[in-house]
Coordinates of all heavy atoms in Angstrom, one line a residue:
E141 N 103.4 67.6 43.1 CA 104.6 66.8 43.2 C 104.3 65.4 43.8 O 104.8 64.4 43.3 CB 105.6 67.5 44.0 CG 107.0 66.8 44.2 CD 107.7 66.5 42.8 OE1 107.3 67.2 41.8 OE2 108.5 65.6 42.8
N142 N 103.5 65.3 44.8 CA 103.1 64.0 45.4 C 102.3 63.2 44.4 O 102.5 62.0 44.2 CB 102.3 64.2 46.7 CG 103.2 64.3 47.9 OD1 104.4 64.2 47.8 ND2 102.5 64.6 49.0
Y143 N 101.4 63.9 43.7 CA 100.6 63.2 42.7 C 101.5 62.6 41.6 O 101.4 61.5 41.1 CB 99.7 64.2 42.0 CG 98.3 63.7 41.7 CD1 97.2 64.3 42.3 CD2 98.1 62.7 40.8 CE1 95.9 63.9 42.0 CE2 96.8 62.2 40.5 CZ 95.7 62.8 41.1 OH 94.5 62.4 40.8
R144 N 102.5 63.4 41.2 CA 103.5 62.9 40.2 C 104.2 61.7 40.7 O 104.4 60.7 39.9 CB 104.5 64.0 39.9 CG 105.4 63.8 38.7 CD 106.4 64.9 38.5 NE 107.4 64.9 39.7 CZ 108.4 64.0 39.8 NH1 108.7 63.2 38.8 NH2 109.2 64.1 40.8
K145 N 104.6 61.7 41.9 CA 105.3 60.5 42.5 C 104.4 59.3 42.5 O 104.9 58.2 42.3 CB 105.8 60.9 43.9 CG 106.9 61.9 44.0 CD 107.3 62.2 45.4 CE 108.3 63.3 45.5 NZ 108.6 63.7 46.9
I146 N 103.2 59.5 42.8 CA 102.2 58.4 42.8 C 102.1 57.8 41.4 O 102.2 56.5 41.3 CB 100.8 58.8 43.3 CG1 100.9 59.2 44.8 CG2 99.8 57.8 43.1 CD1 99.7 59.9 45.3
V147 N 102.0 58.6 40.4 CA 101.8 58.1 39.1 C 103.1 57.4 38.6 O 103.0 56.3 38.0 CB 101.5 59.3 38.1 CG1 101.7 58.9 36.7 CG2 100.2 59.9 38.4
I148 N 104.2 57.9 38.9 CA 105.5 57.3 38.5 C 105.6 55.9 39.2 O 106.0 54.9 38.6 CB 106.7 58.2 38.9 CG1 106.7 59.4 38.0 CG2 108.0 57.4 38.7 CD1 107.8 60.4 38.3
A149 N 105.3 55.9 40.5 CA 105.4 54.6 41.3 C 104.4 53.5 40.7 O 104.8 52.4 40.6 CB 105.0 54.8 42.7
L150 N 103.2 53.9 40.3 CA 102.3 53.0 39.7 C 102.8 52.5 38.4 O 102.7 51.3 38.0 CB 100.9 53.7 39.5 CG 100.2 53.9 40.8 CD1 98.9 54.8 40.6 CD2 99.8 52.7 41.6
K151 N 103.4 53.4 37.6 CA 103.9 52.9 36.3 C 105.1 52.0 36.5 O 105.2 51.0 35.7 CB 104.4 54.2 35.5 CG 103.2 55.1 35.0 CD 103.7 56.3 34.3 CE 104.3 56.0 32.9 NZ 104.6 57.2 32.2
E152 N 105.9 52.2 37.5 CA 107.0 51.3 37.8 C 106.4 49.9 38.2 O 107.1 48.9 38.0 CB 107.9 51.8 38.9 CG 108.7 53.0 38.4 CD 109.5 53.7 39.5 OE1 109.2 53.3 40.7 OE2 110.3 54.5 39.2
K153 N 105.2 49.8 38.7 CA 104.6 48.6 39.1 C 103.8 48.0 37.9 O 103.0 47.0 38.1 CB 103.6 48.8 40.3 CG 104.3 49.2 41.6 CD 103.4 49.8 42.6 CE 102.5 48.8 43.2 NZ 103.1 47.9 44.2
K154 N 104.0 48.5 36.7 CA 103.3 48.1 35.5 C 101.8 48.2 35.6 O 101.1 47.4 35.0 CB 103.7 46.6 35.2 CG 105.2 46.3 35.2 CD 106.0 47.1 34.2 CE 107.4 46.8 34.3 NZ 108.2 47.7 33.3
M155 N 101.4 49.3 36.3 CA 100.0 49.6 36.3 C 99.7 50.9 35.6 O 100.6 51.8 35.5 CB 99.5 49.8 37.8 CG 99.7 48.5 38.6 SD 99.3 48.8 40.4 CE 99.7 47.2 41.1
L156 N 98.6 51.0 34.9 CA 98.3 52.2 34.2 C 97.5 53.2 35.0 O 96.3 52.9 35.3 CB 97.4 51.8 32.9 CG 97.0 53.0 32.0 CD1 98.2 53.7 31.4 CD2 96.1 52.5 30.9
P157 N 98.1 54.3 35.4 CA 97.4 55.3 36.2 C 96.4 56.1 35.3 O 96.7 56.5 34.2 CB 98.5 56.3 36.7 CG 99.8 55.6 36.3 CD 99.5 54.7 35.1
I158 N 95.2 56.3 35.7 CA 94.2 57.1 35.0 C 93.9 58.3 36.0 O 93.3 58.1 37.1 CB 93.0 56.3 34.7 CG1 93.3 55.2 33.7 CG2 91.9 57.2 34.1 CD1 92.2 54.3 33.3
I159 N 94.2 59.5 35.6 CA 94.1 60.7 36.4 C 92.7 61.3 36.3 O 92.2 61.6 35.2 CB 95.1 61.7 36.1 CG1 96.5 61.1 36.3 CG2 94.9 63.0 36.9 CD1 97.7 62.1 35.8
Q160 N 92.0 61.4 37.4 CA 90.7 62.0 37.4 C 90.8 63.4 38.0 O 91.6 63.6 39.0 CB 89.7 61.2 38.2 CG 89.5 59.8 37.6 CD 88.7 58.9 38.6 OE1 87.5 58.6 38.3 NE2 89.3 58.5 39.7
S161 N 90.1 64.4 37.5 CA 90.2 65.7 38.1 C 89.8 65.8 39.5 O 88.9 65.1 39.9 CB 89.3 66.7 37.3 OG 88.0 66.3 37.3
T162 N 90.5 66.6 40.3 CA 90.1 66.8 41.7 C 88.8 67.6 41.6 O 88.7 68.6 40.9 CB 91.2 67.6 42.4 OG1 92.4 66.9 42.4 CG2 90.8 67.9 43.9
L163 N 87.8 67.2 42.4 CA 86.5 67.8 42.3 C 86.5 69.1 43.0 O 87.0 69.3 44.0 CB 85.5 66.8 42.9 CG 85.3 65.5 42.2 CD1 84.2 64.7 42.9 CD2 84.9 65.7 40.7
Y164 N 85.7 70.0 42.4 CA 85.5 71.3 43.0 C 84.6 71.1 44.3 O 83.9 70.1 44.4 CB 84.7 72.3 42.1 CG 85.6 72.8 40.9 CD1 85.1 72.7 39.6 CD2 86.7 73.5 41.2 CE1 85.9 73.2 38.5 CE2 87.5 74.1 40.1 CZ 87.1 73.9 38.8 OH 87.8 74.4 37.8
V165 N 84.6 72.0 45.2 CA 83.7 72.0 46.3 C 82.6 73.0 46.0 O 82.7 73.8 45.1 CB 84.4 72.4 47.6 CG1 85.5 71.4 48.0 CG2 85.0 73.8 47.6
N166 N 81.5 73.0 46.8 CA 80.5 74.0 46.6 C 80.7 75.0 47.7 O 80.4 74.7 48.9 CB 79.1 73.3 46.8 CG 78.0 74.3 46.5 OD1 77.8 75.3 47.1 ND2 77.2 73.9 45.5
P167 N 81.1 76.2 47.4 CA 81.5 77.2 48.4 C 80.3 77.6 49.3 O 80.6 78.2 50.4 CB 82.1 78.3 47.6 CG 81.5 78.1 46.3 CD 81.4 76.7 46.1
S168 N 79.1 77.4 48.9 CA 78.0 77.8 49.7 C 77.8 76.9 50.9 O 77.2 77.2 51.9 CB 76.7 77.9 48.9 OG 76.3 76.6 48.5
K169 N 78.4 75.7 50.8 CA 78.3 74.7 51.8 C 79.7 74.3 52.4 O 79.7 73.8 53.5 CB 77.7 73.4 51.3 CG 76.2 73.6 50.8 CD 75.7 72.3 50.3 CE 74.2 72.4 49.8 NZ 73.7 71.1 49.3
N170 N 80.7 74.6 51.7 CA 82.1 74.3 52.2 C 83.0 75.5 51.8 O 83.4 75.6 50.7 CB 82.6 73.0 51.6 CG 83.9 72.5 52.2 OD1 84.8 73.3 52.3 ND2 83.9 71.3 52.6
K171 N 83.4 76.3 52.8 CA 84.2 77.5 52.6 C 85.7 77.2 53.0 O 86.5 78.1 52.9 CB 83.7 78.6 53.4 CG 82.2 79.0 53.0 CD 81.8 80.2 53.8 CE 80.3 80.5 53.5 NZ 80.0 80.8 52.1
R172 N 86.0 76.0 53.4 CA 87.3 75.7 53.9 C 88.3 75.5 52.7 O 89.5 75.8 52.9 CB 87.3 74.4 54.7 CG 88.6 74.0 55.4 CD 88.3 72.9 56.4 NE 87.7 71.8 55.8 CZ 88.4 70.8 55.3 NH1 89.7 70.8 55.3 NH2 87.8 69.7 54.7
I173 N 87.9 75.2 51.5 CA 88.8 74.9 50.4 C 88.5 75.9 49.3 O 87.3 76.1 48.9 CB 88.6 73.4 49.9 CG1 88.8 72.5 51.1 CG2 89.5 73.1 48.8 CD1 88.3 71.1 50.9
N174 N 89.6 76.4 48.7 CA 89.5 77.4 47.6 C 89.4 76.7 46.3 O 90.4 76.0 45.9 CB 90.7 78.3 47.7 CG 90.5 79.6 46.9 OD1 89.8 79.5 45.8 ND2 91.1 80.7 47.3
N175 N 88.4 76.9 45.5 CA 88.3 76.3 44.2 C 89.3 76.8 43.2 O 89.6 76.1 42.2 CB 86.9 76.6 43.6 CG 85.8 75.6 44.1 OD1 86.2 74.4 44.5 ND2 84.6 75.9 44.2
K176 N 89.9 77.9 43.5 CA 91.0 78.4 42.6 C 92.2 77.5 42.7 O 92.9 77.3 41.7 CB 91.3 79.9 42.9 CG 90.3 80.9 42.5 CD 90.7 82.3 42.8 CE 89.7 83.3 42.4 NZ 90.1 84.7 42.7
D177 N 92.4 77.0 43.9 CA 93.5 76.0 44.1 C 93.2 74.7 43.4 O 94.1 74.1 42.8 CB 93.8 75.8 45.6 CG 94.4 77.0 46.3 OD1 95.0 77.8 45.7 OD2 94.2 77.1 47.6
I178 N 92.0 74.3 43.5 CA 91.6 73.1 42.8 C 91.8 73.2 41.3 O 92.3 72.3 40.6 CB 90.2 72.7 43.2 CG1 90.1 72.3 44.6 CG2 89.7 71.5 42.3 CD1 88.7 72.0 45.1
E179 N 91.4 74.4 40.8 CA 91.5 74.6 39.3 C 93.0 74.6 38.9 O 93.3 74.1 37.9 CB 90.9 76.0 39.0 CG 90.9 76.3 37.5 CD 90.3 77.7 37.2 OE1 90.1 78.5 38.1 OE2 90.0 77.9 36.0
A180 N 93.8 75.2 39.7 CA 95.3 75.3 39.4 C 95.9 73.9 39.5 O 96.7 73.5 38.6 CB 96.0 76.2 40.5
L181 N 95.4 73.1 40.4 CA 95.9 71.7 40.5 C 95.5 70.9 39.3 O 96.3 70.2 38.7 CB 95.4 71.0 41.8 CG 95.8 69.5 41.9 CD1 97.3 69.3 41.9 CD2 95.1 69.0 43.2
N182 N 94.3 71.0 38.9 CA 93.8 70.3 37.7 C 94.5 70.7 36.4 O 94.7 69.9 35.5 CB 92.2 70.5 37.6 CG 91.5 69.7 38.6 OD1 91.9 68.6 39.0 ND2 90.3 70.2 39.0
T183 N 94.8 72.0 36.3 CA 95.6 72.5 35.2 C 96.9 71.7 35.1 O 97.3 71.3 34.0 CB 95.8 74.0 35.2 OG1 94.5 74.7 35.2 CG2 96.6 74.5 34.0
K184 N 97.6 71.6 36.2 CA 98.8 70.9 36.2 C 98.7 69.4 35.9 O 99.5 68.8 35.2 CB 99.5 71.1 37.6 CG 100.1 72.5 37.9 CD 100.7 72.6 39.3 CE 101.3 73.9 39.5 NZ 102.6 74.0 38.7
L185 N 97.6 68.8 36.5 CA 97.4 67.4 36.3 C 97.1 67.1 34.8 O 97.5 66.1 34.3 CB 96.2 66.9 37.2 CG 96.5 66.9 38.7 CD1 95.3 66.5 39.5 CD2 97.7 65.9 39.0
K186 N 96.3 67.9 34.2 CA 95.9 67.7 32.8 C 97.1 67.8 31.9 O 97.3 67.0 31.0 CB 94.8 68.8 32.4 CG 94.3 68.5 31.0 CD 93.2 69.5 30.7 CE 92.6 69.3 29.3 NZ 91.5 70.2 29.0
K187 N 98.0 68.8 32.2 CA 99.2 69.0 31.4 C 100.1 67.8 31.6 O 100.7 67.3 30.6 CB 99.9 70.3 31.7 CG 101.1 70.6 30.9 CD 101.8 71.9 31.3 CE 103.0 72.2 30.5 NZ 103.6 73.5 30.9
F188 N 100.3 67.4 32.8 CA 101.1 66.2 33.2 C 100.7 65.0 32.5 O 101.5 64.2 31.9 CB 101.1 66.0 34.7 CG 101.9 64.8 35.2 CD1 103.2 64.7 34.9 CD2 101.2 63.8 35.8 CE1 103.9 63.6 35.4 CE2 101.9 62.7 36.3 CZ 103.3 62.6 36.1
A189 N 99.3 64.7 32.5 CA 98.8 63.6 31.8 C 99.1 63.6 30.3 O 99.4 62.5 29.7 CB 97.3 63.5 32.0
S190 N 99.0 64.7 29.7 CA 99.3 64.9 28.3 C 100.7 64.6 28.0 O 101.0 63.8 27.0 CB 98.9 66.3 27.8 OG 99.3 66.5 26.5
V191 N 101.6 65.1 28.8 CA 103.1 64.8 28.6 C 103.4 63.4 28.8 O 104.2 62.8 28.0 CB 103.9 65.7 29.6 CG1 105.4 65.3 29.6 CG2 103.8 67.2 29.3
E192 N 102.8 62.7 29.8 CA 103.0 61.3 30.1 C 102.3 60.3 29.2 O 102.4 59.1 29.3 CB 102.7 61.0 31.5 CG 103.6 61.7 32.5 CD 105.1 61.2 32.5 OE1 105.2 60.0 32.4 OE2 106.0 62.0 32.5
G193 N 101.4 60.9 28.3 CA 100.6 60.0 27.5 C 99.5 59.3 28.3 O 99.2 58.1 27.9
L194 N 99.0 59.9 29.3 CA 98.0 59.2 30.2 C 96.6 59.8 30.0 O 96.5 60.9 29.5 CB 98.4 59.4 31.7 CG 99.7 58.8 32.1 CD1 100.1 59.1 33.5 CD2 99.7 57.2 31.9
T195 N 95.6 59.1 30.4 CA 94.2 59.6 30.3 C 93.9 60.5 31.4 O 94.3 60.2 32.6 CB 93.3 58.4 30.3 OG1 93.5 57.6 29.2 CG2 91.8 58.9 30.3
Y196 N 93.3 61.6 31.1 CA 92.8 62.6 32.1 C 91.3 62.7 32.0 O 90.9 63.1 30.9 CB 93.5 63.9 32.0 CG 93.0 65.0 32.9 CD1 93.5 65.2 34.2 CD2 92.0 65.9 32.4 CE1 93.0 66.2 35.0 CE2 91.5 66.9 33.3 CZ 92.0 67.0 34.6 OH 91.5 68.0 35.4
I197 N 90.6 62.4 33.0 CA 89.1 62.4 32.9 C 88.7 63.7 33.8 O 88.9 63.7 35.0 CB 88.5 61.2 33.5 CG1 89.0 59.9 32.8 CG2 87.0 61.2 33.4 CD1 88.5 58.6 33.3
D198 N 88.0 64.6 33.1 CA 87.6 65.8 33.8 C 86.2 65.6 34.3 O 85.2 65.8 33.6 CB 87.6 67.0 32.8 CG 87.2 68.3 33.5 OD1 87.0 68.3 34.7 OD2 87.2 69.3 32.8
L199 N 86.1 65.1 35.5 CA 84.8 64.8 36.1 C 84.0 66.1 36.4 O 82.8 66.1 36.5 CB 85.0 64.0 37.4 CG 85.6 62.7 37.3 CD1 85.9 62.1 38.7 CD2 84.8 61.7 36.5
N200 N 84.7 67.2 36.5 CA 84.0 68.5 36.8 C 83.1 68.9 35.7 O 82.2 69.7 35.9 CB 85.0 69.6 37.1 CG 85.6 69.4 38.5 OD1 84.9 69.2 39.5 ND2 87.0 69.4 38.6
Q201 N 83.3 68.4 34.5 CA 82.5 68.8 33.4 C 81.0 68.4 33.6 O 80.1 69.1 33.2 CB 83.0 68.2 32.1 CG 84.2 68.8 31.5 CD 84.5 68.3 30.1 OE1 84.0 67.2 29.7 NE2 85.4 69.0 29.4
K202 N 80.8 67.3 34.3 CA 79.5 66.8 34.5 C 79.0 67.1 36.0 O 77.8 67.2 36.2 CB 79.4 65.3 34.2 CG 79.5 65.0 32.8 CD 78.4 65.5 31.9 CE 78.5 65.2 30.5 NZ 78.3 63.7 30.2

Side-chain angles (χ1 to χ4, degrees):
E141 180 58 23
N142 273 353
Y143 219 118
R144 188 186 67 82
K145 291 176 182 177
I146 292 169
V147 167
I148 291 174
L150 290 173
K151 291 177 71 174
E152 289 176 349
K153 293 164 71 73
K154 309 302 181 184
M155 299 175 183
L156 178 64
I158 297 176
I159 301 174
Q160 302 170 105
S161 60
T162 302
L163 298 180
Y164 288 124
V165 299
N166 187 301
S168 67
K169 298 180 179 181
N170 189 310
K171 301 182 184 300
R172 188 168 55 91
I173 301 164
N174 192 330
N175 276 334
K176 290 184 178 180
D177 290 335
I178 294 178
E179 182 180 15
L181 175 60
N182 284 332
T183 298
K184 287 179 175 290
L185 292 175
K186 185 176 182 179
K187 182 178 179 180
F188 174 62
S190 177
V191 171
E192 294 290 318
L194 299 173
T195 297
Y196 174 84
I197 304 175
D198 187 359
L199 298 176
N200 285 312
Q201 285 189 344
K202 292 294 181 68

